[in-house]
Amino acid sequence: MKTEVPGPRSRELMKQLNGIQNAEAVHFFCNYEESRGNYLVDVDGNRMLDLYSQISSIPIGYSHPSLIKLLQQPQNLSTFINRPALGILPPENFADKLKESLLSVAPKGLPQVITMSCGSCANENAFKTIFMWYRSKERGHNNVTKEELESCMINQPPGCPDYAMLSFMGGFHGRTLGCLATTHSKAIHKLDIPSLDWPIAPFPRLKYPLEDFVKENQQEEARCLEEIVAGIIVEPIQSEGGDNHASDDFFRKLRDIARKHGCAFLVDEVQTGGGCTGKFWAHEHWGLDDPADVVTFSKKMMTGGFFHKEEFRPNAPYRIFNTWLGDPSKNLMLAEVIKVIKSEDLLNNATHAGKALLTGLLDLQARYPHLISRVRGRGTFCSFDAPNDATRNKLITIARNKGVVLGGCGDRSIRFRPTLIFKDHHAHLFLNIFSDILANFK
């Protein structure tokens, strides 16, 4: 470490950017050319162990040699230069590249995939897909009426039916209008924005470690399941809302309820997907043969989008559509990322490194219970609670100045979102630094 973070160059650039747009969320400016693996370098020359990885979106570290090599191959140049309108003019190899990338890791029972540019537009279009499927079922797959066609143009039923997606308190599914109606993590995300009056269920507030509080947690989950009445969107672990976990049994019962009521079950794997929990998809931990009707993804997957069952396929062109519908260059990179995940056994690595991280955090919790509580995690997808928001933010700032990048979530949690190449020794390096921080914390 050469300066405090943000350093003088970062502060100068913050001032410049703030003259162009609101840049108050910026932590510091980065030198990505010098960043490697698990280490992020800022513009002041500080080299930091990154346990946040661009809000959980860097799969195999900074400047990975396999991805650099991919970009240097002449046959790939066109894919990076010529971004097509995929819905109408896809490149010759588009279907093959989807098979090599996304479809090679498709969740169980979901053979269809549509790419998008981010997690919000993945969820937004997944909602639309679900509503169209539900309406088609209701009308018995008959032709659309004249009344439906005319009423939808003025935002009225029956053309715009009064449907809803049920979501959970603490959930985060994006910041576009439909997604915001299902997002309940922070008020600042929603303030001043008109919303849809959709139902909200409580998400279990469990005690950790889960295996020590089985009975209490079962009672809490039963309370939350009582209120499920409509179509459902849920995260396997509520991420932005505070890393809130539920038992595998809770999700199995939730899946049964959706099936019983004939409504779609959408699993949002935008932050949990891609391997960080030790399985490629976090919902695989539930052990279900039919885990979901729709699964959305983004972040570590390099591209946004969603998988779905055949029956959810749109019945006409242009119903799920935008200009780009993703980006073929991201599929190309994802195919390479998946090769690296498999060849380097990175799912097992996430389990192994995650165990080292979680064990270390539990030890710190035992030693500093006034600063750390509710340690929890699956794979490297770990977190703990600080006593309050101010202490949490102070710990993150001190850690950054000691060379470790961490992220917050929820009201007072610190979350860990390292890359898939984060190893045991990186965990121990962090734990040593953080132990000193806690010992000297005032």
Side-chain angles (χ1 to χ4, degrees):
M1 299 298 291
K2 297 180 178 179
T3 71
E4 66 174 353
V5 183
R9 178 63 179 148
S10 263
R11 290 197 297 270
E12 181 189 326
L13 291 169
M14 283 172 169
K15 192 175 176 184
Q16 282 182 32
L17 185 59
N18 209 43
I20 299 166
Q21 58 181 236
N22 185 319
E24 291 172 38
V26 172
H27 297 166
F28 54 87
F29 279 75
C30 304
N31 179 344
Y32 290 109
E33 289 79 7
E34 294 298 321
S35 301
R36 295 282 183 281
N38 290 295
Y39 293 90
L40 178 60
V41 177
D42 75 356
V43 291
D44 289 282
N46 298 300
R47 184 172 179 263
M48 293 165 270
L49 178 64
D50 189 358
L51 278 81
Y52 197 37
S53 67
Q54 308 294 321
I55 321 179
S56 193
S57 68
I58 301 283
I60 53 173
Y62 295 102
S63 303
H64 195 283
S66 294
L67 294 180
I68 291 172
K69 188 178 174 185
L70 187 81
L71 266 72
Q72 290 170 338
Q73 292 169 358
Q75 70 270 27
N76 293 333
L77 280 179
S78 174
T79 304
F80 288 96
I81 295 166
N82 302 306
R83 187 176 183 181
L86 281 170
I88 56 168
L89 297 165
E92 181 181 6
N93 63 359
F94 185 52
D96 285 341
K97 291 301 174 188
L98 283 176
K99 289 173 188 171
E100 283 176 30
S101 58
L102 288 163
L103 290 171
S104 75
V105 292
K108 195 181 287 186
L110 306 183
Q112 300 277 297
V113 68
I114 299 173
T115 51
M116 293 285 163
S117 293
C118 69
S120 291
C121 52
N123 279 327
E124 197 81 27
N125 283 283
F127 293 171
K128 288 171 58 182
T129 298
I130 286 167
F131 292 143
M132 292 187 299
W133 164 80
Y134 197 86
R135 187 70 183 116
S136 178
K137 273 202 316 176
E138 272 199 335
R139 68 164 72 93
H141 307 285
N142 295 320
N143 290 337
V144 177
T145 65
K146 182 170 182 282
E147 185 186 10
E148 285 176 306
L149 292 171
E150 290 175 352
S151 59
C152 77
M153 296 302 288
I154 52 169
N155 305 338
Q156 296 296 313
C160 291
D162 190 18
Y163 293 155
M165 289 294 301
L166 183 137
S167 54
F168 288 88
M169 279 307 294
F172 180 93
H173 302 289
R175 300 167 194 261
T176 52
L177 272 172
C179 293
L180 261 188
T182 62
T183 286
H184 319 285
S185 51
K186 286 191 174 74
I188 196 68
H189 299 152
K190 296 171 71 76
L191 185 67
D192 301 331
I193 315 297
S195 193
L196 297 151
D197 188 16
W198 288 354
I200 308 161
F203 193 80
R205 175 76 174 173
L206 301 188
K207 296 178 179 178
Y208 302 93
L210 297 179
E211 58 271 19
D212 292 352
F213 296 97
V214 173
K215 189 177 178 186
E216 294 94 326
N217 289 339
Q218 282 174 346
Q219 291 168 347
E220 169 66 3
E221 289 182 340
R223 179 185 71 85
C224 295
L225 285 168
E226 285 170 9
E227 300 198 27
I228 304 299
V229 291
I232 303 166
I233 180 169
V234 71
E235 299 160 271
I237 301 167
Q238 284 189 336
S239 307
E240 297 295 327
D243 268 28
N244 306 313
H245 293 243
S247 71
D248 297 336
D249 189 55
F250 173 80
F251 291 106
R252 288 192 281 263
K253 286 175 178 169
L254 199 55
R255 179 69 184 106
D256 287 342
I257 287 168
R259 196 181 290 108
K260 178 183 166 186
H261 288 276
C263 54
F265 192 58
L266 194 173
V267 179
D268 178 345
E269 290 257 23
V270 167
Q271 193 156 154
T272 51
C276 45
T277 67
K279 292 187 182 290
F280 202 90
W281 303 107
H283 71 255
E284 291 175 48
H285 290 284
W286 307 340
L288 289 173
D289 289 330
D290 179 27
D293 298 307
V294 182
V295 171
T296 51
F297 57 83
S298 190
K299 292 194 182 279
K300 279 187 172 65
M301 299 299 289
M302 316 294 283
T303 178
F306 58 99
F307 296 99
H308 61 86
K309 289 182 174 176
E310 292 267 6
E311 65 197 83
F312 286 78
R313 187 183 170 107
N315 62 1
Y318 297 105
R319 300 205 75 190
I320 299 296
F321 193 87
N322 57 48
T323 299
W324 280 327
L325 284 173
D327 182 341
S329 69
K330 302 301 183 189
N331 302 342
L332 195 65
M333 292 172 73
L334 176 61
E336 193 60 35
V337 165
I338 292 166
K339 279 183 198 169
V340 171
I341 289 172
K342 290 176 178 173
S343 67
E344 298 184 13
D345 198 19
L346 294 183
L347 296 185
N348 276 330
N349 178 68
T351 300
H352 207 272
K355 189 176 179 183
L357 178 59
L358 192 66
T359 301
L361 289 172
L362 287 167
D363 176 57
L364 292 176
Q365 177 177 263
R367 287 158 54 198
Y368 305 101
H370 60 296
L371 293 172
I372 291 185
S373 64
R374 299 180 80 237
V375 167
R376 53 207 184 269
R378 205 157 212 175
T380 56
F381 207 96
C382 297
S383 56
F384 67 83
D385 284 4
N388 50 54
D389 177 44
T391 302
R392 183 261 307 272
N393 295 343
K394 190 175 177 183
L395 284 170
I396 289 173
T397 301
I398 294 171
R400 190 185 299 155
N401 285 317
K402 297 280 187 185
V404 175
V405 180
L406 298 170
C409 64
D411 296 330
R412 55 194 176 99
S413 300
I414 287 180
R415 58 176 153 170
F416 298 85
R417 297 293 187 270
T419 71
L420 297 174
I421 60 166
F422 178 83
K423 308 277 187 185
D424 287 29
H425 68 269
H426 297 113
H428 294 306
L429 175 62
F430 157 73
L431 290 163
N432 288 337
I433 294 169
F434 205 61
S435 177
D436 290 344
I437 290 170
L438 295 172
N440 297 311
F441 188 83
K442 293 179 176 62

